[in-house]
Amino acid sequence: MLAKVRSAAFLALIFSATVGFWPNAAKAQSTNSPSGPDPREIPLPSIKSKIGALPGVNDLPVRVDLPDALMMNNGQQITTVKQWKKRREEIKRILEYYAIGQMPPPPGNVKGREIKSQLVLDGTVKYRLVHLTFGPRGKLGLDIGIFTPTNGPGPFPAVIMPGGTPPGAAPLPTLAHPPGQGKGVDALLPVIPVTPSTNDVASSSSSTNQAAGRRGPRLDNTDPEAVAGRNRELFRRGYAYVVFNNNDCAEDTTLRIDDGNWAFRTTRFYPVYPGYDWGVLAGWAWGVSRIVDYLETDPSMDKTRLIISGVSRTGKSALIAAAFDDRLAMAAPCVTGGGGIGAYRFSGAGRGGKEGLADMMKKYPNWFSPHLHEFWGHVDQLPFDEHWFLALVAPRPFIALEGLTDQVSLENAVKQSWLGAQPAYALFGVTDHLGVNYANHGHAFTPEDMKALLDFADLHLRGIKTDRQFNQFPSDKAP
């Protein structure tokens, strides 16, 4: 116990020393918003992870500027790629502890079994349904759908994207959603006793399984012909398409069980990893890495050109997946909103508007590390910000796909993260690998976004020239 106390004290000293090098650092009386969590909230039970304890909000100084991604915890400035490799490990530990929760290590035993295959789009595309197994004693599973062009031998670069239950797969039973979920109700106020799961099964076209961020009529995800038909351009340009249901990895519910814990920890990947405090977004990202485990063994896939994308909440998890898995050659999250690409320090009430940390902690605390909640009302004391996720992707290509009329992603918050990550890309001399594209839409993923994704991938992964620029924000064009 004494050793743990000394360790925690030492870590606090290191963090305090580090922020001493930050300009505008001050102790905890600051410009922080007085708003915070409802005192009636019922706290979550503690999960002791292997990371140990890092300083809490009361031990951290105020830092109104973005924390420098290129500064070691001891205050040393990073100037070489070799030093950056060490700094990356520090950043990942901090982000797991404060932002997303600790994820389990790779299981090392992913296997895939083809369930069915068929030709679609008049024989120009082949669809395969593959069931993956992995984890302790192979207990875990995940269905993925793989679409590959037939007009060439491959291997093909591939876009991995959450898109509902893959065609032909059996939808899994799902937990209920509290009536106030996502509607501005504080998710930590009620505790609703439930059984670990229900007998309800969500169909592939239900709201639970619908690709996040899409608006309008529900898309048909049950028919491989329909899914392939929506992605003709992708196949025409020589890419494969891999789909999965993110809710088969972690259930997106704020339901709680009678001990106060999240009900999602009783299903999917979570019961076999009880010593990890990973939130829902980390569960989805970890699932993407298991898909990569399999795709590396699939001869039709170009394992050096795997791209991860996602929309809204699944865009946030795509950001995490790319930051923590170097095998993903490119990341292209779309309209990620609060807790995504945009910096917390530049979003939310009093910080430019739209979704901020307070909104995330009130409506969706299940997505994140349980340690992030204490920074509600103390954003300037965060020892990180979202640009660190972008920096971890360097030097691999990264493009932020945004909507001109999106009501949850704030341009300045995205731009500040984009600028804050540039020094990491500059270390490698590839600042052009960090891109952004604004399309004429709101909170959605459209064909314009897919075209930007493919153009950016063609440029940086395949050496195909384009006349497009990927460094323009809407405000840059204003007089």
Side-chain angles (χ1 to χ4, degrees), residues 398-404 410-412 414-416 418-419 422 431-440 449 452 456 467-479:
F398 181 100
I399 184 169
L401 302 173
E402 303 293 340
L404 287 168
L410 184 66
E411 179 193 344
N412 186 52
V414 172
K415 188 172 186 177
Q416 293 302 324
W418 190 80
L419 292 171
Q422 281 193 338
T431 53
D432 62 318
H433 281 200
L434 184 59
V436 64
N437 186 78
Y438 275 81
N440 188 24
D449 298 295
F456 196 71
D467 294 330
R468 299 184 65 162
Q469 290 186 320
F470 295 104
N471 60 356
Q472 298 294 311
F473 286 83
S475 59
D476 295 338
K477 302 174 183 178

Side-chain angles (χ1 to χ4, degrees), residues 235-456:
F235 304 126
R236 185 191 69 79
R237 294 175 64 165
Y239 287 81
Y241 188 56
V242 181
V243 297
F244 72 105
N245 185 352
N246 49 290
N247 281 286
D248 289 351
C249 305
E251 293 200 62
D252 190 6
T253 177
T254 57
L255 202 65
R256 298 175 74 181
I257 55 178
D258 53 6
D259 68 356
N261 220 323
W262 296 120
F264 77 79
R265 296 197 185 280
T266 66
T267 69
R268 307 302 194 255
F269 298 165
Y270 290 81
V272 300
Y273 294 111
Y276 296 86
D277 59 357
W278 46 335
V280 167
L281 298 180
W284 297 347
W286 195 82
V288 169
S289 289
R290 307 294 68 81
I291 294 172
V292 174
D293 288 342
Y294 173 75
L295 296 181
E296 285 191 309
T297 71
D298 189 319
S300 70
M301 295 291 111
D302 183 344
K303 65 181 182 181
T304 67
R305 295 173 179 170
L306 301 177
I307 303 163
I308 181 63
S309 186
V311 191
S312 191
R313 63 194 64 185
T314 62
K316 304 181 211 297
S317 64
L319 174 65
I320 297 167
F324 281 79
D325 194 333
D326 295 346
R327 299 171 301 170
L328 290 163
M330 179 179 134
C334 185
V335 292
T336 57
I341 294 172
Y344 282 125
R345 283 171 170 81
F346 294 92
S347 56
R351 297 173 179 271
K354 301 192 178 181
E355 285 187 341
L357 180 66
D359 302 284
M360 295 298 99
M361 293 300 96
K362 184 176 184 179
K363 296 191 293 184
Y364 306 113
N366 56 315
W367 291 352
F368 304 94
S369 164
H371 298 115
L372 187 58
H373 183 266
E374 66 177 318
F375 292 91
W376 182 352
H378 304 279
V379 174
D380 291 331
Q381 286 165 255
L382 284 170
F384 72 93
D385 217 315
E386 296 299 284
H387 66 299
W388 281 17
F389 287 101
L390 281 66
L392 286 178
V393 181
R396 293 167 288 146
F398 181 100
I399 184 169
L401 302 173
E402 303 293 340
L404 287 168
T405 58
D406 183 18
Q407 294 302 304
V408 297
S409 290
L410 184 66
E411 179 193 344
N412 186 52
V414 172
K415 188 172 186 177
Q416 293 302 324
S417 276
W418 190 80
L419 292 171
Q422 281 193 338
Y425 279 84
L427 271 182
F428 296 89
V430 290
T431 53
D432 62 318
H433 281 200
L434 184 59
V436 64
N437 186 78
Y438 275 81
N440 188 24
H441 61 71
H443 196 63
F445 184 88
T446 71
E448 290 181 77
D449 298 295
M450 181 60 81
K451 186 177 188 306
L453 183 159
L454 296 176
D455 288 347
F456 196 71

Side-chain angles (χ1 to χ4, degrees), residues 93-108:
R93 184 175 185 233
I94 292 169
L95 290 178
E96 280 197 281
Y97 185 84
Y98 292 106
I100 63 172
Q102 187 183 20
M103 296 178 283

Side-chain angles (χ1 to χ4, degrees), residues 46-256:
S46 176
I47 298 175
K48 292 184 179 179
S49 71
K50 296 179 181 178
I51 288 182
L54 295 182
V57 65
N58 293 328
D59 299 314
L60 292 169
V62 169
R63 167 75 153 91
V64 296
D65 298 328
L66 293 181
D68 190 346
L70 298 191
M71 184 177 289
M72 297 287 291
N73 285 348
N74 64 6
Q76 178 186 3
Q77 194 69 39
I78 301 299
T79 58
T80 68
V81 171
K82 183 178 180 180
Q83 292 173 325
W84 172 242
K85 290 179 180 179
K86 184 177 180 181
R87 173 59 175 159
R88 288 184 84 250
E89 297 309 308
E90 287 187 347
I91 288 177
K92 286 194 284 188
R93 184 175 185 233
I94 292 169
L95 290 178
E96 280 197 281
Y97 185 84
Y98 292 106
I100 63 172
Q102 187 183 20
M103 296 178 283
N109 63 344
V110 174
K111 297 178 181 178
R113 178 171 58 92
E114 185 175 297
I115 304 300
K116 64 176 292 187
S117 68
Q118 68 184 89
L119 295 176
V120 294
L121 298 186
D122 297 322
T124 61
V125 174
K126 182 179 181 180
Y127 172 67
R128 290 180 291 145
L129 175 64
V130 177
H131 180 69
L132 307 183
T133 58
F134 47 89
R137 297 179 296 282
K139 283 186 173 183
L140 303 180
L142 181 65
D143 290 320
I144 63 174
I146 302 175
F147 296 82
T148 50
T150 60
N151 60 355
F156 301 100
V159 176
I160 305 169
M161 189 129 180
T165 300
L172 299 180
T174 61
L175 294 166
H177 289 189
Q181 180 169 333
K183 299 178 180 178
V185 176
D186 190 329
L188 291 179
L189 284 179
V191 176
I192 304 175
V194 296
T195 54
S197 63
T198 72
N199 292 321
D200 296 330
V201 175
S203 70
S204 296
S205 59
S206 73
S207 59
T208 297
N209 293 294
Q210 187 74 1
R214 298 190 188 273
R215 293 295 181 265
R218 287 179 176 174
L219 302 177
D220 181 7
N221 292 320
T222 63
D223 181 6
E225 193 81 36
V227 176
R230 295 196 296 267
N231 293 283
R232 291 176 185 270
E233 179 67 8
L234 185 148
F235 304 126
R236 185 191 69 79
R237 294 175 64 165
Y239 287 81
Y241 188 56
V242 181
V243 297
F244 72 105
N245 185 352
N246 49 290
N247 281 286
D248 289 351
C249 305
E251 293 200 62
D252 190 6
T253 177
T254 57
L255 202 65
R256 298 175 74 181

